[in-house]
Amino acid sequence: MSASESDCNKFELLLDALRDGELSSDERRAVEQHAASCLRCQGQLADIERVVATLRALPRVKPPRDFSQDLDKLIAPRPRAKVVSLRPLIWGSLGAAAVAAVAVVAFKLTPGFGPTNAVAVREGSDTKEQRLHEGTPLQRQETTTAVAHYSDNAGPQQAVPLEHGSLQPGSVVATAPGDVQQAPQPPADDVAASHPEHKLPAGAQPGKTEKMPQTNDQAETKSPDKVPQQSGPGRTLSGRTAVAEAYDDDPFAGGAAVVALASGDQTGITEEIGLETDEDGLYAIKM
Amino acid sequence: MDLTDGALIESFRRTKDPSHFKALVQRYQGRIYNAAFRILGNSEEAEEVVQDTFVKVHQNMPKFQRQSSFSSWVFRIAHNHCVDLLRARQRRSGFSLLSYDPQAAPADDESAEGSLGVVSQLADSGPSPAQALDFKEQEAVIEASLKELPDTQRAVVVLHDIEGLSYQEISEIVGANLGTVRSRLHYGRLKLRQLLEPYFAHQDVSPAPR
């Protein structure tokens, strides 16, 4: 293909717009410059002109009647067409999709069905609490959930682990002891000072996670509904808490990893840990 | 002095005086009918388009935004109705009339539109372009050639070359960008040139008085 033919192909599409005066100034200049020395494009322009002239030669077809004489028909309100609601179909589809999603998640979370990549806070926290009470290493749990809450003053790396008994509103729960102990800890006083309502339990040592003693109410702690009863009064976190930490050297097996809990207003922190969960407080974390 | 479209709309909104709406109908009914007839090739459907277009214009007058021209708005409503009718026509005719046209080489998306369309046999059953002798026959040949175009190309050709609308207006009417409008117009004209070539070869088309 010669350079001229290449140019013709490039400008062919623009010849119509050139004829119609619909090119930008740059385009028009380029096409005109080419067409001035190209007989083929000049012929094309002539053909376009002839087609347009032919179309414009068509007589205008007049409407068979004057619609303005029947104005009542045009402006009279028309009965609305019957609307067939698709709502049942839509909700049915959504329901089926939800069931399928739940089935997939349940399959993923079922032990023995491979590593878990998604962890529901509520379900995971139940397991976690049990582990804390039993002092069982968490590494064996494929579906283990690590939950950590940080106060505003504590950066993402500054976990403030609390001890058993502090599993209550405002507390910080660390289920990965190794990680928590490695994290730099702000002085408890600082935390308390910045959040007067954020009270550490008596005897709690920041930066250290104690094993939870076996108690008679261990069975109760397995029940999410029972745990809030352990919470002391006034132990609520205020301010914003947002945590999302993942550690590459996550000790949790199977690739299941970390959980982030994020709450805008801190209401229901204990619920988010797995005790109660409302619509806004449930976060499923995918790793 | 005639009021502008905007002034008529504003007056009708304010006073609800039907005479303002009537003036708009009188102003546009001819253009709408002509365009619909050329796009659809059917007088009854074109009449239906005009009727329904002004019903919708009246119903949606409160929603009309002054940012766009009334002309583009009313043509867009009419064009949408034409598209609905063409689709309904294709559904009625089914796939029996859909055939592959090997003559239409798909150079790109737009030209490909011509490869699978409703291939009417009007050009073959009516007078061939070479046999057209008088103006009535010329008109029939041109109409038949227009019907050969894919719907999207025919609409753009009609709106530009017959109704004299700009690329920008057509873009708003058919809901396509300027490049698509430009492309549809190019390939529509190209196909018309091919269809009319025998006709052009036999005699020059002298534009008839409009």
Side-chain angles (χ1 to χ4, degrees):
Chain A
M1 181 185 294
S2 67
S4 177
E5 286 178 343
S6 175
D7 285 347
C8 284
N9 292 335
K10 187 172 71 176
F11 290 122
E12 183 182 3
L13 192 69
L14 301 177
L15 291 175
D16 293 86
L18 175 68
R19 183 262 164 214
D20 297 331
E22 294 274 2
L23 289 178
S24 67
S25 57
D26 289 343
E27 287 175 322
R28 189 182 71 245
R29 198 176 306 115
V31 178
E32 283 177 342
Q33 193 172 2
H34 166 78
S37 58
C38 178
L39 292 177
R40 180 182 163 191
C41 284
Q42 290 174 11
Q44 298 252 16
L45 275 171
D47 287 344
I48 293 169
E49 194 62 52
R50 179 146 47 168
V51 168
V52 174
T54 303
L55 290 171
R56 296 198 167 172
L58 280 173
R60 295 194 69 83
V61 186
K62 293 181 180 177
R65 60 190 173 93
D66 184 357
F67 291 88
S68 67
Q69 298 302 315
D70 296 329
L71 211 59
D72 291 343
K73 290 183 180 177
L74 302 181
I75 63 177
R78 284 190 166 187
R80 287 182 177 274
K82 185 179 180 181
V83 177
V84 178
S85 174
L86 295 177
R87 189 168 296 173
L89 181 63
I90 293 170
W91 282 111
S93 302
L94 289 175
V99 169
V102 169
V104 169
V105 172
F107 175 79
K108 287 275 189 179
L109 292 178
T110 303
F113 285 95
T116 300
N117 292 327
V119 180
V121 171
R122 183 169 183 160
E123 294 183 8
S125 61
D126 193 359
T127 303
K128 166 188 60 57
E129 288 170 22
Q130 183 179 354
R131 300 290 164 203
L132 286 172
H133 281 270
E134 294 173 357
T136 305
L138 298 171
Q139 286 81 346
R140 290 188 287 111
Q141 289 298 313
E142 288 186 339
T143 59
T144 298
T145 301
V147 180
H149 281 274
Y150 300 88
S151 68
D152 280 344
N153 284 1
Q157 301 294 329
Q158 295 174 318
V160 183
L162 297 183
E163 302 171 357
H164 171 60
S166 63
L167 193 61
Q168 49 200 280
S171 65
V172 175
V173 178
T175 57
D179 289 342
V180 171
Q181 288 176 359
Q182 291 169 6
Q185 304 302 321
D189 292 343
D190 292 347
V191 176
S194 59
H195 295 285
E197 68 280 25
H198 183 165
K199 299 175 182 176
L200 295 177
Q205 296 181 20
K208 182 179 180 182
T209 302
E210 291 185 3
K211 290 183 179 178
M212 294 183 179
Q214 297 280 351
T215 60
N216 293 334
D217 55 13
Q218 179 179 343
E220 291 181 357
T221 61
K222 293 181 181 177
S223 170
D225 295 332
K226 298 292 184 180
V227 176
Q229 296 172 2
Q230 298 178 354
S231 302
R235 294 185 182 277
T236 58
L237 266 181
S238 67
R240 188 171 63 85
T241 300
V243 178
E245 280 300 313
Y247 299 93
D248 293 337
D249 55 347
D250 187 351
F252 299 108
V258 179
V259 167
L261 281 182
S263 175
D265 57 10
Q266 288 309 308
T267 56
I269 283 299
T270 52
E271 288 82 0
E272 290 181 5
I273 291 172
L275 310 177
E276 287 281 340
T277 306
D278 57 19
E279 281 185 1
D280 299 327
L282 176 62
Y283 295 84
I285 292 85
K286 182 177 180 181
M287 289 296 131
Chain B
M1 190 178 88
D2 288 342
L3 291 174
T4 63
D5 292 346
L8 283 171
I9 292 166
E10 199 57 39
S11 298
F12 179 69
R13 280 174 167 173
R14 193 175 61 251
T15 65
K16 302 296 181 189
D17 182 356
S19 66
H20 299 304
F21 186 72
K22 185 176 183 177
L24 289 170
V25 173
Q26 289 172 333
R27 186 172 293 178
Y28 281 96
Q29 62 178 349
R31 295 183 67 190
I32 297 296
Y33 181 83
N34 187 60
F37 179 80
R38 294 302 179 197
I39 290 173
L40 297 168
N42 182 293
S43 59
E44 291 179 359
E45 288 180 334
E47 193 175 343
E48 179 186 338
V49 167
V50 177
Q51 172 88 17
D52 287 0
T53 294
F54 285 112
V55 168
K56 286 185 179 175
V57 165
H58 178 262
Q59 286 175 342
N60 295 288
M61 190 74 86
K63 300 178 188 173
F64 172 66
Q65 303 294 320
R66 293 290 297 273
Q67 286 81 1
S68 62
S69 71
F70 179 76
S71 170
S72 295
W73 186 52
V74 72
F75 267 104
R76 184 164 69 245
I77 294 172
H79 173 264
N80 288 343
H81 200 81
C82 288
V83 170
D84 290 342
L85 290 172
L86 289 169
R87 285 176 179 161
R89 193 188 294 174
Q90 286 192 358
R91 281 196 299 271
R92 281 196 304 271
S93 61
F95 289 96
S96 59
L97 289 179
L98 288 174
S99 62
Y100 175 70
D101 182 4
Q103 299 291 327
D108 68 2
D109 290 344
E110 286 305 314
S111 63
E113 291 175 2
S115 62
L116 190 66
V118 177
V119 180
S120 68
Q121 299 300 312
L122 291 174
D124 293 336
S125 59
S128 69
Q131 294 170 336
L133 297 175
D134 57 23
F135 182 75
K136 272 295 178 189
E137 287 177 343
Q138 290 176 19
E139 185 180 340
V141 169
I142 298 166
E143 286 181 355
S145 301
L146 263 179
K147 289 179 179 176
E148 294 274 349
L149 298 183
D151 296 338
T152 53
Q153 294 176 9
R154 184 169 61 254
V156 171
V157 167
V158 167
L159 291 172
H160 187 276
D161 290 344
I162 296 180
E163 290 304 320
L165 298 172
S166 69
Y167 284 18
Q168 180 61 44
E169 288 173 312
I170 296 170
S171 168
E172 295 171 9
I173 290 166
V174 303
N177 61 42
L178 282 175
T180 301
V181 170
R182 181 187 287 183
S183 177
R184 287 178 183 175
L185 190 58
H186 168 73
Y187 286 108
R189 286 172 173 172
L190 190 63
K191 181 149 189 168
L192 280 176
R193 270 158 55 192
Q194 294 166 351
L195 291 167
L196 293 171
E197 193 62 41
Y199 173 70
F200 287 149
H202 275 78
Q203 66 181 90
D204 291 331
V205 178
S206 53
R210 305 184 74 167

